Amino acid sequence: ELIDRIKQLEAHNTQLKSIVQKNLHAREDTANGKAKKKHRPFDFSKCFKRHILLRFYYLGWDYQGFAAQEDSIETIEHHLFAALRKVCLINSRETSNYNRCGRTDKGVSAFHQVISIDVRSKLAPEVQLEESSLAGELDYCSMLNRVLPEEIRCLAWMPMVNAAYSARFDCRSRTYRYFFPRGDLNIDAMEESASYLVGAHDFRNLCKMDVGNGVVSFMRSIDEISIKPSQVDSNNDSSYDMMYLELRGKAFLWHQVRCIMAVLLLVGQGKEKPSVVKDLLDVEKNPCKPQYSMASDVPLNLYDCQFNEKSSESNEEEMGGESDLSEWIYKEDDLRRTISDLQGLWMKQSVKTTMIREMLKTLHGILEERFAGAVPICDQSVSLTQGVRSKEYCPLLQRQRCASLENRIEHYAKKRRIEVSVKSNDSNASGSDEPPAQHVRDGINNVGYVDHGVPGMDN
């Protein structure tokens, strides 16, 4: 009876998914303001193909993350594939040899997102890599930008020699930037605390553990980390200066950057000592993560990605040959249009920012004039930390703890939701932020996994 009931529920679940998909597509058609017209299918069998890298930027604040989801069309990947199909560059995602460098979470942006994909080409394979022929190739960026939302833009493309080259597995480093106002933060203390993060560590206390998706190893390496100034306040009030935290590494865990930033903000506010990071990295001394709120998703940006010269799929003979990489191809007209589009978005946000800044300037003046000796208010960075703020601060290491990694593994193993093996401990070491699917049972929803913090990246 139980088996029959499970089968009924699975069938009902499938039916509901189908209804949701139909409703989503109907909403999309309505939003486009156009009735669907029947077009003769594009005949891809008559076209040449080529393997390329495509570089995009997107502002993810109003999107549900990068990765496509069953119950939402408001993802970057949904709009990307809709555009690729609309301009007939691919037949389907399944047949496009597609990989992504990062998988950012809801609200997270990217300036240097890269995908590898097979697309339609005007050129025969034997001349596709000739420099003299590249000028006559399809203008991929222009084609896509005409149909993409204004927050998503294709910047450049790169012709690839090796069809096995993967934007995911052949990425050697990813750089994130987290933007924040100086406020009354002690930047020196934050820099000292951040310095303890450099190198290989177990970051289980500085991420969201995703054991249910098969992630059981939390060793990662941060190659560089620094805090740098971005913009100086025009009214010479340093509390309104903008800064950013920059981290570079091969791979990041789910929410890792946002958890790191949350702790650094506590240090900058004087609520924690810089050494608290060392304590959190000591998993022998602190095997259970203390409960704390993450930093906001809005300021996080996947800002740069660097790639291996040769594909990891190359054999020994190929590894000694020329690089698989070439130069990114930009077109001046496309780049100028993109800059103009981004300036338009900047204008909308900057006007709002300037208006609020002038209002604050006036209010600061009233406070100083009416209440002589009043302590200046520098709470610009306070709202970056999510969650309810307690009136009395409780130090991190004195807080209630989450379940240990071992307890989580035992919990999911009992439910048969994960299969723990030695192999699974290293399965995510390739630099991807995505969960190792081979160790996750069918039916488990992986949609929420981000990278990166960094790629899976809800960092």
mmCIF file of all heavy atoms in Angstrom, residues 198-245:
data_model
loop_
_atom_site.group_PDB
_atom_site.id
_atom_site.type_symbol
_atom_site.label_atom_id
_atom_site.label_comp_id
_atom_site.label_asym_id
_atom_site.label_seq_id
_atom_site.Cartn_x
_atom_site.Cartn_y
_atom_site.Cartn_z
ATOM 1 N N VAL A 198 43.653 33.243 4.439
ATOM 2 C CA VAL A 198 44.488 32.861 3.302
ATOM 3 C C VAL A 198 45.058 31.459 3.513
ATOM 4 O O VAL A 198 45.498 31.110 4.606
ATOM 5 C CB VAL A 198 45.633 33.874 3.094
ATOM 6 C CG1 VAL A 198 46.549 33.432 1.961
ATOM 7 C CG2 VAL A 198 45.062 35.261 2.807
ATOM 8 N N GLY A 199 45.022 30.655 2.461
ATOM 9 C CA GLY A 199 45.526 29.296 2.524
ATOM 10 C C GLY A 199 44.398 28.279 2.555
ATOM 11 O O GLY A 199 43.221 28.616 2.401
ATOM 12 N N ALA A 200 44.757 27.024 2.747
ATOM 13 C CA ALA A 200 43.781 25.931 2.759
ATOM 14 C C ALA A 200 43.260 25.720 4.176
ATOM 15 O O ALA A 200 44.046 25.585 5.120
ATOM 16 C CB ALA A 200 44.416 24.652 2.240
ATOM 17 N N HIS A 201 41.940 25.721 4.309
ATOM 18 C CA HIS A 201 41.306 25.546 5.617
ATOM 19 C C HIS A 201 40.019 24.753 5.463
ATOM 20 O O HIS A 201 39.470 24.635 4.372
ATOM 21 C CB HIS A 201 40.968 26.904 6.248
ATOM 22 C CG HIS A 201 42.136 27.822 6.414
ATOM 23 N ND1 HIS A 201 43.071 27.684 7.419
ATOM 24 C CD2 HIS A 201 42.522 28.916 5.686
ATOM 25 C CE1 HIS A 201 43.976 28.644 7.315
ATOM 26 N NE2 HIS A 201 43.661 29.396 6.269
ATOM 27 N N ASP A 202 39.525 24.269 6.589
ATOM 28 C CA ASP A 202 38.198 23.681 6.645
ATOM 29 C C ASP A 202 37.226 24.807 6.992
ATOM 30 O O ASP A 202 37.247 25.349 8.091
ATOM 31 C CB ASP A 202 38.154 22.588 7.723
ATOM 32 C CG ASP A 202 36.852 21.796 7.699
ATOM 33 O OD1 ASP A 202 35.786 22.428 7.498
ATOM 34 O OD2 ASP A 202 36.885 20.571 7.898
ATOM 35 N N PHE A 203 36.367 25.174 6.030
ATOM 36 C CA PHE A 203 35.491 26.333 6.183
ATOM 37 C C PHE A 203 34.074 25.951 6.628
ATOM 38 O O PHE A 203 33.131 26.692 6.372
ATOM 39 C CB PHE A 203 35.415 27.104 4.858
ATOM 40 C CG PHE A 203 36.638 27.926 4.565
ATOM 41 C CD1 PHE A 203 37.665 27.407 3.794
ATOM 42 C CD2 PHE A 203 36.754 29.212 5.050
ATOM 43 C CE1 PHE A 203 38.795 28.168 3.508
ATOM 44 C CE2 PHE A 203 37.875 29.984 4.777
ATOM 45 C CZ PHE A 203 38.905 29.463 4.006
ATOM 46 N N ARG A 204 33.919 24.831 7.315
ATOM 47 C CA ARG A 204 32.565 24.387 7.691
ATOM 48 C C ARG A 204 31.850 25.415 8.584
ATOM 49 O O ARG A 204 30.619 25.473 8.586
ATOM 50 C CB ARG A 204 32.623 23.035 8.391
ATOM 51 C CG ARG A 204 33.268 23.066 9.780
ATOM 52 C CD ARG A 204 33.294 21.700 10.413
ATOM 53 N NE ARG A 204 34.180 20.797 9.694
ATOM 54 C CZ ARG A 204 34.411 19.535 10.061
ATOM 55 N NH1 ARG A 204 33.775 19.033 11.110
ATOM 56 N NH2 ARG A 204 35.244 18.777 9.388
ATOM 57 N N ASN A 205 32.613 26.214 9.348
ATOM 58 C CA ASN A 205 31.997 27.226 10.207
ATOM 59 C C ASN A 205 31.799 28.561 9.500
ATOM 60 O O ASN A 205 31.285 29.508 10.101
ATOM 61 C CB ASN A 205 32.850 27.449 11.458
ATOM 62 C CG ASN A 205 32.828 26.243 12.389
ATOM 63 O OD1 ASN A 205 31.815 25.542 12.470
ATOM 64 N ND2 ASN A 205 33.933 25.983 13.058
ATOM 65 N N LEU A 206 32.219 28.636 8.241
ATOM 66 C CA LEU A 206 32.110 29.874 7.476
ATOM 67 C C LEU A 206 31.418 29.607 6.138
ATOM 68 O O LEU A 206 31.828 30.105 5.092
ATOM 69 C CB LEU A 206 33.497 30.489 7.259
ATOM 70 C CG LEU A 206 34.145 31.079 8.520
ATOM 71 C CD1 LEU A 206 35.630 31.322 8.301
ATOM 72 C CD2 LEU A 206 33.437 32.362 8.946
ATOM 73 N N CYS A 207 30.392 28.802 6.176
ATOM 74 C CA CYS A 207 29.592 28.521 4.976
ATOM 75 C C CYS A 207 28.279 27.906 5.444
ATOM 76 O O CYS A 207 28.050 27.757 6.646
ATOM 77 C CB CYS A 207 30.321 27.552 4.040
ATOM 78 S SG CYS A 207 30.392 25.851 4.642
ATOM 79 N N LYS A 208 27.435 27.575 4.502
ATOM 80 C CA LYS A 208 26.223 26.823 4.825
ATOM 81 C C LYS A 208 26.464 25.388 4.390
ATOM 82 O O LYS A 208 26.642 25.105 3.207
ATOM 83 C CB LYS A 208 25.006 27.406 4.102
ATOM 84 C CG LYS A 208 23.696 26.743 4.499
ATOM 85 C CD LYS A 208 22.502 27.476 3.938
ATOM 86 C CE LYS A 208 21.196 26.825 4.376
ATOM 87 N NZ LYS A 208 20.007 27.546 3.859
ATOM 88 N N MET A 209 26.495 24.473 5.332
ATOM 89 C CA MET A 209 26.795 23.078 5.011
ATOM 90 C C MET A 209 25.649 22.455 4.236
ATOM 91 O O MET A 209 24.504 22.478 4.687
ATOM 92 C CB MET A 209 27.093 22.285 6.282
ATOM 93 C CG MET A 209 28.436 22.620 6.901
ATOM 94 S SD MET A 209 28.976 21.419 8.139
ATOM 95 C CE MET A 209 27.970 21.905 9.523
ATOM 96 N N ASP A 210 25.972 21.903 3.079
ATOM 97 C CA ASP A 210 24.950 21.340 2.185
ATOM 98 C C ASP A 210 25.095 19.819 2.130
ATOM 99 O O ASP A 210 25.214 19.230 1.063
ATOM 100 C CB ASP A 210 25.107 21.950 0.800
ATOM 101 C CG ASP A 210 23.847 21.803 -0.036
ATOM 102 O OD1 ASP A 210 22.758 21.726 0.544
ATOM 103 O OD2 ASP A 210 23.959 21.761 -1.261
ATOM 104 N N VAL A 211 25.094 19.207 3.301
ATOM 105 C CA VAL A 211 25.296 17.765 3.388
ATOM 106 C C VAL A 211 24.200 17.011 2.647
ATOM 107 O O VAL A 211 24.443 15.963 2.039
ATOM 108 C CB VAL A 211 25.359 17.332 4.871
ATOM 109 C CG1 VAL A 211 25.504 15.807 4.972
ATOM 110 C CG2 VAL A 211 26.528 18.013 5.567
ATOM 111 N N GLY A 212 22.983 17.539 2.656
ATOM 112 C CA GLY A 212 21.872 16.868 1.985
ATOM 113 C C GLY A 212 22.082 16.705 0.499
ATOM 114 O O GLY A 212 21.478 15.831 -0.132
ATOM 115 N N ASN A 213 22.964 17.522 -0.082
ATOM 116 C CA ASN A 213 23.275 17.398 -1.506
ATOM 117 C C ASN A 213 24.609 16.688 -1.742
ATOM 118 O O ASN A 213 25.178 16.763 -2.827
ATOM 119 C CB ASN A 213 23.301 18.776 -2.168
ATOM 120 C CG ASN A 213 21.914 19.221 -2.589
ATOM 121 O OD1 ASN A 213 21.069 18.392 -2.900
ATOM 122 N ND2 ASN A 213 21.677 20.511 -2.592
ATOM 123 N N GLY A 214 25.115 16.019 -0.704
ATOM 124 C CA GLY A 214 26.302 15.193 -0.882
ATOM 125 C C GLY A 214 27.618 15.883 -0.632
ATOM 126 O O GLY A 214 28.678 15.297 -0.860
ATOM 127 N N VAL A 215 27.605 17.145 -0.165
ATOM 128 C CA VAL A 215 28.861 17.867 0.103
ATOM 129 C C VAL A 215 29.304 17.551 1.529
ATOM 130 O O VAL A 215 28.663 17.972 2.494
ATOM 131 C CB VAL A 215 28.681 19.389 -0.082
ATOM 132 C CG1 VAL A 215 30.006 20.110 0.158
ATOM 133 C CG2 VAL A 215 28.160 19.695 -1.471
ATOM 134 N N VAL A 216 30.381 16.807 1.678
ATOM 135 C CA VAL A 216 30.844 16.402 3.007
ATOM 136 C C VAL A 216 32.274 16.833 3.290
ATOM 137 O O VAL A 216 32.803 16.581 4.363
ATOM 138 C CB VAL A 216 30.713 14.872 3.195
ATOM 139 C CG1 VAL A 216 29.258 14.453 3.160
ATOM 140 C CG2 VAL A 216 31.506 14.119 2.135
ATOM 141 N N SER A 217 32.909 17.475 2.323
ATOM 142 C CA SER A 217 34.260 18.006 2.531
ATOM 143 C C SER A 217 34.207 19.519 2.390
ATOM 144 O O SER A 217 33.688 20.039 1.400
ATOM 145 C CB SER A 217 35.238 17.421 1.506
ATOM 146 O OG SER A 217 36.500 18.054 1.627
ATOM 147 N N PHE A 218 34.761 20.220 3.369
ATOM 148 C CA PHE A 218 34.687 21.678 3.382
ATOM 149 C C PHE A 218 36.069 22.318 3.354
ATOM 150 O O PHE A 218 36.245 23.475 3.725
ATOM 151 C CB PHE A 218 33.878 22.139 4.597
ATOM 152 C CG PHE A 218 32.458 21.651 4.537
ATOM 153 C CD1 PHE A 218 32.097 20.433 5.086
ATOM 154 C CD2 PHE A 218 31.483 22.376 3.876
ATOM 155 C CE1 PHE A 218 30.790 19.954 4.998
ATOM 156 C CE2 PHE A 218 30.181 21.927 3.779
ATOM 157 C CZ PHE A 218 29.841 20.702 4.342
ATOM 158 N N MET A 219 37.037 21.555 2.882
ATOM 159 C CA MET A 219 38.390 22.092 2.684
ATOM 160 C C MET A 219 38.396 22.924 1.401
ATOM 161 O O MET A 219 38.053 22.433 0.330
ATOM 162 C CB MET A 219 39.413 20.965 2.578
ATOM 163 C CG MET A 219 39.704 20.254 3.876
ATOM 164 S SD MET A 219 40.469 21.323 5.125
ATOM 165 C CE MET A 219 42.008 21.774 4.307
ATOM 166 N N ARG A 220 38.769 24.163 1.517
ATOM 167 C CA ARG A 220 38.918 25.047 0.364
ATOM 168 C C ARG A 220 40.141 25.926 0.596
ATOM 169 O O ARG A 220 40.612 26.066 1.729
ATOM 170 C CB ARG A 220 37.671 25.926 0.161
ATOM 171 C CG ARG A 220 36.406 25.177 -0.225
ATOM 172 C CD ARG A 220 36.522 24.514 -1.591
ATOM 173 N NE ARG A 220 35.267 23.889 -1.989
ATOM 174 C CZ ARG A 220 34.908 22.656 -1.689
ATOM 175 N NH1 ARG A 220 35.700 21.919 -0.920
ATOM 176 N NH2 ARG A 220 33.761 22.153 -2.123
ATOM 177 N N SER A 221 40.612 26.529 -0.466
ATOM 178 C CA SER A 221 41.793 27.376 -0.360
ATOM 179 C C SER A 221 41.493 28.764 -0.898
ATOM 180 O O SER A 221 40.969 28.910 -2.009
ATOM 181 C CB SER A 221 42.962 26.761 -1.148
ATOM 182 O OG SER A 221 44.113 27.575 -1.050
ATOM 183 N N ILE A 222 41.792 29.776 -0.103
ATOM 184 C CA ILE A 222 41.697 31.169 -0.551
ATOM 185 C C ILE A 222 43.111 31.643 -0.864
ATOM 186 O O ILE A 222 43.984 31.656 0.010
ATOM 187 C CB ILE A 222 41.038 32.054 0.513
ATOM 188 C CG1 ILE A 222 39.563 31.663 0.671
ATOM 189 C CG2 ILE A 222 41.152 33.537 0.150
ATOM 190 C CD1 ILE A 222 38.802 32.471 1.710
ATOM 191 N N ASP A 223 43.346 32.001 -2.113
ATOM 192 C CA ASP A 223 44.691 32.387 -2.545
ATOM 193 C C ASP A 223 45.027 33.827 -2.177
ATOM 194 O O ASP A 223 46.163 34.127 -1.806
ATOM 195 C CB ASP A 223 44.817 32.213 -4.067
ATOM 196 C CG ASP A 223 44.540 30.768 -4.493
ATOM 197 O OD1 ASP A 223 44.932 29.856 -3.740
ATOM 198 O OD2 ASP A 223 43.934 30.558 -5.555
ATOM 199 N N GLU A 224 44.057 34.705 -2.297
ATOM 200 C CA GLU A 224 44.268 36.116 -1.959
ATOM 201 C C GLU A 224 43.005 36.684 -1.354
ATOM 202 O O GLU A 224 41.890 36.315 -1.757
ATOM 203 C CB GLU A 224 44.631 36.939 -3.206
ATOM 204 C CG GLU A 224 46.006 36.674 -3.775
ATOM 205 C CD GLU A 224 46.324 37.580 -4.960
ATOM 206 O OE1 GLU A 224 45.586 38.574 -5.153
ATOM 207 O OE2 GLU A 224 47.273 37.286 -5.699
ATOM 208 N N ILE A 225 43.173 37.618 -0.421
ATOM 209 C CA ILE A 225 42.026 38.332 0.136
ATOM 210 C C ILE A 225 42.491 39.709 0.566
ATOM 211 O O ILE A 225 43.576 39.858 1.125
ATOM 212 C CB ILE A 225 41.390 37.547 1.316
ATOM 213 C CG1 ILE A 225 40.096 38.222 1.780
ATOM 214 C CG2 ILE A 225 42.365 37.394 2.460
ATOM 215 C CD1 ILE A 225 39.277 37.365 2.744
ATOM 216 N N SER A 226 41.698 40.713 0.261
ATOM 217 C CA SER A 226 42.083 42.082 0.609
ATOM 218 C C SER A 226 40.837 42.957 0.670
ATOM 219 O O SER A 226 39.785 42.608 0.130
ATOM 220 C CB SER A 226 43.073 42.653 -0.415
ATOM 221 O OG SER A 226 42.493 42.658 -1.716
ATOM 222 N N ILE A 227 40.979 44.094 1.346
ATOM 223 C CA ILE A 227 39.917 45.102 1.394
ATOM 224 C C ILE A 227 40.450 46.362 0.726
ATOM 225 O O ILE A 227 41.528 46.853 1.081
ATOM 226 C CB ILE A 227 39.483 45.393 2.840
ATOM 227 C CG1 ILE A 227 38.868 44.138 3.464
ATOM 228 C CG2 ILE A 227 38.478 46.548 2.882
ATOM 229 C CD1 ILE A 227 38.500 44.282 4.930
ATOM 230 N N LYS A 228 39.721 46.856 -0.266
ATOM 231 C CA LYS A 228 40.199 47.983 -1.065
ATOM 232 C C LYS A 228 39.141 49.079 -1.147
ATOM 233 O O LYS A 228 37.941 48.796 -1.076
ATOM 234 C CB LYS A 228 40.539 47.502 -2.484
ATOM 235 C CG LYS A 228 41.618 46.426 -2.538
ATOM 236 C CD LYS A 228 41.837 45.940 -3.959
ATOM 237 C CE LYS A 228 42.878 44.832 -4.012
ATOM 238 N NZ LYS A 228 43.078 44.327 -5.396
ATOM 239 N N PRO A 229 39.586 50.331 -1.322
ATOM 240 C CA PRO A 229 38.617 51.421 -1.513
ATOM 241 C C PRO A 229 38.046 51.392 -2.926
ATOM 242 O O PRO A 229 38.737 51.030 -3.884
ATOM 243 C CB PRO A 229 39.459 52.687 -1.291
ATOM 244 C CG PRO A 229 40.855 52.269 -1.644
ATOM 245 C CD PRO A 229 40.974 50.822 -1.254
ATOM 246 N N SER A 230 36.781 51.750 -3.056
ATOM 247 C CA SER A 230 36.140 51.781 -4.363
ATOM 248 C C SER A 230 35.806 53.213 -4.782
ATOM 249 O O SER A 230 36.238 53.673 -5.824
ATOM 250 C CB SER A 230 34.861 50.944 -4.349
ATOM 251 O OG SER A 230 34.185 51.020 -5.590
ATOM 252 N N GLN A 231 35.049 53.921 -3.943
ATOM 253 C CA GLN A 231 34.653 55.291 -4.255
ATOM 254 C C GLN A 231 34.710 56.154 -2.998
ATOM 255 O O GLN A 231 34.358 55.703 -1.912
ATOM 256 C CB GLN A 231 33.234 55.343 -4.827
ATOM 257 C CG GLN A 231 33.114 54.764 -6.231
ATOM 258 C CD GLN A 231 31.709 54.924 -6.797
ATOM 259 O OE1 GLN A 231 30.766 55.146 -6.062
ATOM 260 N NE2 GLN A 231 31.582 54.798 -8.099
ATOM 261 N N VAL A 232 35.157 57.412 -3.182
ATOM 262 C CA VAL A 232 35.226 58.375 -2.081
ATOM 263 C C VAL A 232 33.980 59.253 -2.111
ATOM 264 O O VAL A 232 33.527 59.672 -3.177
ATOM 265 C CB VAL A 232 36.494 59.249 -2.195
ATOM 266 C CG1 VAL A 232 36.524 60.309 -1.099
ATOM 267 C CG2 VAL A 232 37.751 58.376 -2.126
ATOM 268 N N ASP A 233 33.423 59.528 -0.941
ATOM 269 C CA ASP A 233 32.217 60.348 -0.852
ATOM 270 C C ASP A 233 32.495 61.771 -1.336
ATOM 271 O O ASP A 233 33.507 62.382 -0.981
ATOM 272 C CB ASP A 233 31.732 60.381 0.594
ATOM 273 C CG ASP A 233 30.497 61.235 0.774
ATOM 274 O OD1 ASP A 233 29.473 60.920 0.137
ATOM 275 O OD2 ASP A 233 30.573 62.225 1.519
ATOM 276 N N SER A 234 31.590 62.301 -2.151
ATOM 277 C CA SER A 234 31.779 63.636 -2.728
ATOM 278 C C SER A 234 31.675 64.739 -1.692
ATOM 279 O O SER A 234 32.149 65.856 -1.909
ATOM 280 C CB SER A 234 30.742 63.883 -3.836
ATOM 281 O OG SER A 234 29.418 63.783 -3.302
ATOM 282 N N ASN A 235 31.087 64.448 -0.538
ATOM 283 C CA ASN A 235 30.965 65.444 0.531
ATOM 284 C C ASN A 235 32.053 65.298 1.594
ATOM 285 O O ASN A 235 31.953 65.884 2.673
ATOM 286 C CB ASN A 235 29.587 65.338 1.187
ATOM 287 C CG ASN A 235 28.472 65.755 0.254
ATOM 288 O OD1 ASN A 235 28.531 66.826 -0.353
ATOM 289 N ND2 ASN A 235 27.459 64.901 0.110
ATOM 290 N N ASN A 236 33.064 64.473 1.273
ATOM 291 C CA ASN A 236 34.221 64.284 2.162
ATOM 292 C C ASN A 236 33.845 63.726 3.535
ATOM 293 O O ASN A 236 34.493 64.032 4.533
ATOM 294 C CB ASN A 236 34.996 65.603 2.330
ATOM 295 C CG ASN A 236 35.560 66.105 1.024
ATOM 296 O OD1 ASN A 236 36.102 65.331 0.235
ATOM 297 N ND2 ASN A 236 35.435 67.412 0.778
ATOM 298 N N ASP A 237 32.799 62.920 3.567
ATOM 299 C CA ASP A 237 32.437 62.202 4.790
ATOM 300 C C ASP A 237 32.875 60.755 4.592
ATOM 301 O O ASP A 237 32.239 59.995 3.843
ATOM 302 C CB ASP A 237 30.932 62.301 5.033
ATOM 303 C CG ASP A 237 30.510 61.640 6.350
ATOM 304 O OD1 ASP A 237 31.295 60.841 6.888
ATOM 305 O OD2 ASP A 237 29.385 61.921 6.815
ATOM 306 N N SER A 238 33.952 60.368 5.234
ATOM 307 C CA SER A 238 34.551 59.054 4.972
ATOM 308 C C SER A 238 33.620 57.902 5.327
ATOM 309 O O SER A 238 33.776 56.789 4.817
ATOM 310 C CB SER A 238 35.866 58.906 5.743
ATOM 311 O OG SER A 238 35.634 58.985 7.142
ATOM 312 N N SER A 239 32.622 58.148 6.200
ATOM 313 C CA SER A 239 31.706 57.052 6.550
ATOM 314 C C SER A 239 30.850 56.634 5.357
ATOM 315 O O SER A 239 30.267 55.550 5.363
ATOM 316 C CB SER A 239 30.816 57.459 7.731
ATOM 317 O OG SER A 239 29.909 58.482 7.359
ATOM 318 N N TYR A 240 30.777 57.496 4.330
ATOM 319 C CA TYR A 240 30.020 57.164 3.118
ATOM 320 C C TYR A 240 30.927 56.656 1.990
ATOM 321 O O TYR A 240 30.443 56.410 0.874
ATOM 322 C CB TYR A 240 29.222 58.376 2.637
ATOM 323 C CG TYR A 240 28.017 58.672 3.498
ATOM 324 C CD1 TYR A 240 28.097 59.583 4.536
ATOM 325 C CD2 TYR A 240 26.809 58.020 3.287
ATOM 326 C CE1 TYR A 240 26.996 59.854 5.353
ATOM 327 C CE2 TYR A 240 25.700 58.281 4.087
ATOM 328 C CZ TYR A 240 25.811 59.196 5.118
ATOM 329 O OH TYR A 240 24.712 59.452 5.915
ATOM 330 N N ASP A 241 32.217 56.510 2.269
ATOM 331 C CA ASP A 241 33.115 55.914 1.267
ATOM 332 C C ASP A 241 32.697 54.465 1.023
ATOM 333 O O ASP A 241 32.268 53.761 1.942
ATOM 334 C CB ASP A 241 34.562 55.935 1.764
ATOM 335 C CG ASP A 241 35.147 57.339 1.811
ATOM 336 O OD1 ASP A 241 34.487 58.265 1.308
ATOM 337 O OD2 ASP A 241 36.254 57.491 2.358
ATOM 338 N N MET A 242 32.842 54.019 -0.219
ATOM 339 C CA MET A 242 32.524 52.637 -0.558
ATOM 340 C C MET A 242 33.806 51.812 -0.648
ATOM 341 O O MET A 242 34.802 52.249 -1.236
ATOM 342 C CB MET A 242 31.755 52.562 -1.871
ATOM 343 C CG MET A 242 30.350 53.144 -1.802
ATOM 344 S SD MET A 242 29.302 52.341 -0.559
ATOM 345 C CE MET A 242 29.228 50.657 -1.196
ATOM 346 N N MET A 243 33.773 50.628 -0.086
ATOM 347 C CA MET A 243 34.905 49.699 -0.069
ATOM 348 C C MET A 243 34.459 48.384 -0.701
ATOM 349 O O MET A 243 33.276 48.176 -0.976
ATOM 350 C CB MET A 243 35.360 49.434 1.375
ATOM 351 C CG MET A 243 35.428 50.656 2.274
ATOM 352 S SD MET A 243 36.835 51.714 1.892
ATOM 353 C CE MET A 243 38.188 50.662 2.447
ATOM 354 N N TYR A 244 35.414 47.488 -0.915
ATOM 355 C CA TYR A 244 35.027 46.118 -1.286
ATOM 356 C C TYR A 244 36.042 45.111 -0.772
ATOM 357 O O TYR A 244 37.240 45.389 -0.680
ATOM 358 C CB TYR A 244 34.825 45.959 -2.793
ATOM 359 C CG TYR A 244 36.028 46.190 -3.675
ATOM 360 C CD1 TYR A 244 36.956 45.171 -3.929
ATOM 361 C CD2 TYR A 244 36.235 47.424 -4.278
ATOM 362 C CE1 TYR A 244 38.040 45.380 -4.750
ATOM 363 C CE2 TYR A 244 37.324 47.648 -5.102
ATOM 364 C CZ TYR A 244 38.218 46.624 -5.341
ATOM 365 O OH TYR A 244 39.308 46.829 -6.163
ATOM 366 N N LEU A 245 35.513 43.971 -0.380
ATOM 367 C CA LEU A 245 36.327 42.812 -0.017
ATOM 368 C C LEU A 245 36.533 41.997 -1.281
ATOM 369 O O LEU A 245 35.568 41.694 -1.987
ATOM 370 C CB LEU A 245 35.609 41.971 1.034
ATOM 371 C CG LEU A 245 36.272 40.636 1.411
ATOM 372 C CD1 LEU A 245 37.480 40.879 2.307
ATOM 373 C CD2 LEU A 245 35.263 39.717 2.116
#
